[in-house]
Amino acid sequence: MPVYQAEALILRTYKLGEADRIVVFLTRDRGKKRGVAKGARRARSRYTGALEPMTRAGVAYYEREQRELVRLNFVEPTRSPLSAASGDVLGYVGYFAELIDECAPEAHADERLYRLGSSLVDAMAAGAPAESLARYFEYWLLKLQGVYPSLRSCSGCGGALGEGASMPPRDTILLCQACAPAGGTRLSAEAMTFLRRATTIAPDHLVSLALSARAARELETAHRRLISVHLEKELKSARVLREMRQIR
Ligand SMILES: [Zn+2]
């Protein structure tokens, strides 16, 4: 049985039998894996505190021939989302992990996706504001998936997207104000500025990048459409986040 050691992000876990868990994790070098963590559900397990979604860890696992499930040997956390400087961001951890899980190809390395997820863990520890971090993450994830429309030119006339842009109803393109039909999702100058800045900075610098609640909503609406079209479904964790906000 070949044993592999890797840097990884924990994405989610499932119960397995009485005492074990199945752990879904994204490795830097060999893509997404599912592994059995023996005894992880026992009270005094060596995995206690190591399997929270969005934990970055060193892992070792055995791969068995003809089997999709690997067997975890150890998980040693190097950074936990529980070290996040802002409590708000903890509400987003499940959402970030679910999005990465949905976008990560099985057993196929995607180092850029791994690096994005890993930088998110660092940004949470650095105190990046939850809303900015969520919109930044969605932008980069969709961009890496090749589905983010151009921020530079209008998909209608090819002209420059100036101060603002609009996503037409039931579409995933960005149009300039002259081309935009009525009833689309408007992205204000502030939202466009945030996106353009997001293309150039690491997420731990989001602390100094302003994003008003209104611009955050505009981006959230546009990103939700891009994500649901791309994944052909709406994520459960995204619905939960919206409901939590309505209660507050
Ligand atoms: Zn146009």
Side-chain angles (χ1 to χ4, degrees), residues 128-139:
E131 280 271 356
S132 304
L133 190 57
R135 306 296 80 92
Y136 175 98
F137 170 63
E138 290 160 347
Y139 167 76

Side-chain angles (χ1 to χ4, degrees), residues 154-159 161 175-180:
C154 169
S155 298
C157 66
L161 284 180
L175 297 175
C176 72
Q177 277 151 322
C179 294

Side-chain angles (χ1 to χ4, degrees), residues 1-10 23-38 46-47 51 57-65 67-76 106-109 114:
M1 285 195 298
V3 62
Y4 296 95
Q5 290 207 22
E7 262 183 66
L9 283 174
I10 307 298
V23 184
V24 182
F25 57 104
L26 180 69
T27 66
R28 179 192 276 271
D29 56 344
R30 300 179 72 242
K32 187 166 74 176
K33 300 278 174 188
R34 287 162 212 283
V36 177
K38 282 277 184 196
R46 63 202 157 108
Y47 294 108
L51 301 179
V59 301
Y61 59 94
Y62 296 99
E63 212 150 83
R64 294 173 290 185
E65 234 174 281
R67 301 254 197 113
E68 213 170 277
L69 265 185
V70 305
R71 186 167 164 165
L72 279 160
N73 189 17
F74 66 75
V75 176
E76 280 172 2
E106 301 276 346
H108 175 294
Y114 178 85

